[in-house]
Amino acid sequence: MKFVAFERAKQGTGASRRLRNSGRTPGIVYGGAGEPLLIELDHNALWHAIKKEAFHSSVLDMELAGKESKVLLRDVQMHPYKQLILHIDFQHVDANTKLHMKVPLHFKNQEESSAFKVDHCLINHVLNEIDVSCLPKDLPEFIEVDLSDLKKGTSFHLSDIKLPAGVKAVVKGKENPVVVSVVTSAAEASAEASAEAAAAAPAAPAKGGKAAPAAKAPAAKK
């Protein structure tokens, strides 16, 4: 995905405010040779760009002064209540250095699984993105996850995801976290619990160890 940036000469609170008033957004690019690069971008174009998933999860082509370079989005500062981007940060990308990025998961075929189609289970997406490590050329825009084999009483773990070539999952905490859980529907769970409770409850014995006889209905008055 490509975007156009312009060199920014001035910095500081006052200069940034004037820049925003003119329809531009101040930004910075870290990681290149020398000092961080001060840039500015057209706010309207940037506003539409940040709504696209690829702008957040893929290597971007930044055009600056007629030259292109590879960058990653690192931070976006938004106004607390206005539709306004206050500042944006990028990082230069080295083709030979591995990246550590969060990549979104795209789930498919959930409705075709026996857990959903036959057993009417609730499918809970525990994770919607995962951390990965890879070279820039191998960074996927998203990772597709096929849920067609989901079954009642099972869970889908990180190790079940087929990662693209050159991409490795970065795990923090649990070695193999749950990505998707399969939960029995609330109505079915309630029915099962009621049935189990009824089966487990014995008849109350009368004195002497025998079951109490059923009470007779009173005779109708003549």
Side-chain angles (χ1 to χ4, degrees):
M1 187 173 177
K2 183 178 178 180
F3 70 96
V4 179
F6 308 90
E7 291 186 16
R8 176 163 57 102
K10 298 180 180 180
Q11 56 181 316
T13 304
S16 294
R17 186 184 301 112
R18 289 190 293 273
L19 198 62
R20 296 186 194 104
N21 289 338
S22 68
R24 296 292 183 97
T25 300
I28 193 167
V29 183
Y30 295 101
E35 296 294 320
L37 177 64
L38 300 177
I39 60 171
E40 59 185 70
L41 300 90
D42 178 78
H43 183 273
N44 287 340
L46 181 59
W47 180 259
H48 290 292
I50 65 169
K51 294 181 180 180
K52 298 178 181 178
E53 186 178 69
F55 195 75
H56 297 262
S57 59
S58 59
V59 176
L60 306 171
D61 294 315
M62 182 181 72
E63 181 182 327
L64 179 67
K67 297 181 180 179
E68 286 191 9
S69 58
K70 304 289 186 181
V71 298
L72 286 172
L73 175 65
R74 283 309 187 191
D75 188 45
V76 179
Q77 297 175 26
M78 304 292 298
H79 193 279
Y81 57 87
K82 294 181 181 179
Q83 292 187 344
L84 180 66
I85 304 170
L86 299 176
H87 196 276
I88 191 162
D89 296 355
F90 296 97
Q91 177 186 340
H92 271 294
V93 170
D94 181 353
N96 299 314
T97 302
K98 284 191 174 183
L99 305 171
H100 182 188
M101 286 284 292
K102 288 185 180 296
V103 175
L105 301 176
H106 286 189
F107 300 101
K108 71 173 187 177
N109 297 331
Q110 172 177 302
E111 293 78 8
E112 301 303 317
S113 67
S114 63
F116 184 89
K117 198 172 184 178
V118 178
D119 297 309
H120 309 294
C121 295
L122 302 177
I123 312 300
N124 181 29
H125 298 168
V126 180
L127 299 178
N128 289 306
E129 61 183 13
I130 60 171
D131 289 313
V132 302
S133 175
C134 62
L135 291 173
K137 67 179 181 64
D138 296 324
L139 180 65
E141 182 179 326
F142 60 86
I143 295 174
E144 197 168 65
V145 181
D146 188 353
L147 300 180
S148 59
D149 292 332
L150 280 182
K151 293 178 175 60
K152 181 180 177 180
T154 64
S155 295
F156 193 96
H157 291 79
L158 179 62
S159 60
D160 298 319
I161 297 177
K162 296 180 180 179
L163 296 174
V167 178
K168 180 181 179 182
V170 178
V171 181
K172 297 178 182 177
K174 294 183 179 180
E175 291 185 3
N176 191 22
V178 173
V179 177
V180 176
S181 64
V182 180
V183 183
T184 304
S185 67
E188 185 177 344
S190 177
E192 288 178 357
S194 299
E196 290 174 2
K207 290 182 179 180
K210 294 182 179 180
K216 292 182 179 180
K221 293 182 179 180
K222 296 182 179 178

